[in-house]
Amino acid sequence: MRITTTNVTLQREVRSLTDEHDRLTKRLAAARDNARFADKRIVALEAQIAEQLTAPPS
């Protein structure tokens, strides 16, 4: 009886940890996507600034 109770408890803990792992994996993927978007935006802005600095005055 005690072993069965312990087994059920451990199965619940494994399920909980698996759910948390999945949630954190999704958050990490979203954070990486956001970082990639920010990097692309920064590069575009730097190119725009460089273009404006090198353009002849009008």
Side-chain angles (χ1 to χ4, degrees), residues 3 8-9 11 18-19 21-23 25-27 29 32-33 38 43 52 55-57:
I3 293 174
V8 169
T9 302
Q11 286 176 345
T18 301
D19 290 345
H21 177 267
D22 292 343
R23 183 180 61 83
T25 301
K26 289 176 185 175
R27 285 184 63 190
R32 286 178 174 158
D33 287 344
V43 168
Q52 288 175 355

Side-chain angles (χ1 to χ4, degrees), residues 2-35:
R2 193 182 96 219
I3 293 174
T4 303
T5 304
T6 304
N7 188 40
V8 169
T9 302
L10 290 173
Q11 286 176 345
R12 286 182 186 152
E13 187 174 346
V14 166
R15 199 172 309 123
S16 173
L17 291 171
T18 301
D19 290 345
E20 183 177 2
H21 177 267
D22 292 343
R23 183 180 61 83
L24 292 173
T25 301
K26 289 176 185 175
R27 285 184 63 190
L28 178 59
R32 286 178 174 158
D33 287 344
N34 288 340

Side-chain angles (χ1 to χ4, degrees), residues 22-58:
D22 292 343
R23 183 180 61 83
L24 292 173
T25 301
K26 289 176 185 175
R27 285 184 63 190
L28 178 59
R32 286 178 174 158
D33 287 344
N34 288 340
R36 275 192 292 273
F37 174 79
D39 288 343
K40 289 178 184 177
R41 182 70 178 130
I42 289 168
V43 168
L45 289 171
E46 287 174 341
Q48 184 180 358
I49 290 170
E51 187 178 297
Q52 288 175 355
L53 291 175
T54 59
S58 40

